[in-house]
Amino acid sequence: MRNQIAAANWKMNLTYQQAEKLLDEILKAQIELSTHQQVIFAVPAPYLTMAKSEVGRDKNFFIAAQNCHHKKSGAFTGEISAEMLQSLGIKYCVIGHSERREYFQETHAMLADKMDQCLENFITPIFCCGEPLSIRESGTQNEYVAQQLKDSLFHLSAAQVQSIIIAYEPIWAIGTGKTATTEQAQEIHAFLRSVISSQYGQDTADTIPILYGGSVKAGNAAELFACPDVDGGLVGGASLVAQDFITIIKALK
Ligand code: PGA
């Protein structure tokens, strides 16, 4: 079975003390996970080291950065490179979240470079894609997300693509309380897998976890995760509440 993943995206929330407490509460629940089930916390950069030491050696729990810079190093004040993350022992990084695309003008080409930076540094990128409401309403969401994949992923080798995670996050569902229906989620996840398959073959496409994001809650996680092509979720708001995120983790297939 493909890896099934509950990924928390804390965004720019929580103080250091609140972050420690939240992690503590979730880890204290001692959730039993199978080998193919993983939990990833994408935490603010200043908390990476603390979070990594909190999850310790628990083999199913990992820490992600929320972003990295698209260049290897240099005069980019305030930025964080993939190499720096690697030197901290961080194994995952969210790439191309829609908030970064929108508020920080991240282009497809920059995201392609960020993918390279991650992979060169043995970091698994969690590549986000997803359409705005206007595109969904015009019925062209498939073409839109396919283009996002083509422009930022298709330069990768098949071996590289096998070590990425994709997160489909319709922008109209992020932080809005509006969730894609299970039919909408399954349909576009299967489509994304077919886009990967057309470039890299079915075997490769079948190995890649595709997470759903956009108002995943304790109350809807189980039905979303039950879809055959939905391999877990990237969770914002509900990941900030220990009991809610615990319920979401337990909803993994
Ligand atoms: P949300 O955010 O769960 O609050 O909708 C998801 C995300 O942006 O990753």
Side-chain angles (χ1 to χ4, degrees):
M1 185 179 221
R2 272 191 294 276
N3 282 346
Q4 302 293 305
I5 300 164
N9 179 10
W10 287 357
K11 310 190 181 186
M12 195 175 76
N13 291 299
L14 306 173
T15 62
Y16 186 86
Q17 291 74 15
Q18 290 167 334
E20 268 190 315
K21 184 163 173 277
L22 178 58
L23 272 178
D24 228 45
E25 281 173 14
I26 294 166
L27 294 169
K28 260 204 326 249
Q30 301 204 317
I31 308 165
E32 296 256 348
L33 294 171
S34 310
T35 46
H36 71 279
Q37 295 173 328
Q38 297 179 343
V39 179
I40 302 174
F41 297 94
V43 308
Y47 309 161
L48 285 167
T49 306
M50 173 277 286
K52 190 165 183 301
S53 91
E54 281 275 323
V55 301
R57 289 172 195 278
D58 196 322
K59 61 182 178 3
N60 297 91
F61 287 79
F62 300 92
I63 302 303
Q66 297 178 4
N67 179 39
C68 68
H69 197 261
H70 57 283
K71 292 261 170 52
K72 187 175 161 51
S73 63
F76 303 104
T77 302
E79 291 296 319
I80 295 167
S81 71
E83 190 178 41
M84 292 173 188
L85 298 175
Q86 196 225 350
S87 70
L88 291 175
I90 298 301
K91 302 275 188 247
Y92 295 86
C93 183
V94 178
I95 296 293
H97 190 280
S98 60
E99 288 150 16
R100 297 217 52 94
R101 292 175 188 259
E102 183 180 352
Y103 306 137
F104 302 93
Q105 287 78 45
E106 295 193 351
T107 64
H108 294 192
M110 278 162 70
L111 300 180
D113 289 344
K114 289 184 188 220
M115 295 299 288
D116 293 342
Q117 286 302 322
C118 284
L119 292 165
E120 279 168 24
N121 286 287
F122 310 101
I123 292 168
T124 300
I126 303 173
F127 178 79
C128 301
C129 60
E131 78 287 355
L133 185 60
S134 58
I135 295 289
R136 172 62 64 165
E137 284 176 346
S138 71
T140 54
Q141 64 274 8
N142 284 7
E143 291 81 346
Y144 189 92
V145 293
Q147 199 62 48
Q148 290 180 318
L149 263 49
K150 283 180 190 150
D151 288 351
S152 300
L153 304 185
F154 275 17
H155 67 291
L156 301 174
S157 69
Q160 286 178 312
V161 160
Q162 278 177 28
S163 52
I164 74 168
I165 296 168
I166 293 175
Y168 167 69
E169 299 206 305
I171 297 169
W172 46 271
I174 295 177
T176 59
K178 240 189 202 178
T179 317
T181 63
T182 50
E183 291 75 23
Q184 286 172 325
Q186 170 54 28
E187 195 185 339
I188 199 150
H189 279 230
F191 173 73
L192 288 166
R193 205 176 297 289
S194 77
V195 174
I196 298 290
S197 165
S198 67
Q199 179 76 1
Y200 296 101
Q202 195 61 46
D203 286 355
T204 297
D206 283 341
T207 62
I208 298 178
I210 306 181
L211 316 184
Y212 170 80
S215 298
V216 174
K217 304 277 176 224
N220 62 18
E223 59 170 352
L224 284 162
F225 298 174
C227 299
D229 283 290
V230 177
D231 305 309
L234 180 57
V235 187
S239 75
L240 299 172
V241 181
Q243 199 47 55
D244 288 1
F245 195 57
I246 290 167
T247 304
I248 291 167
I249 297 169
K250 288 181 176 168
L252 289 173
K253 284 197 281 286

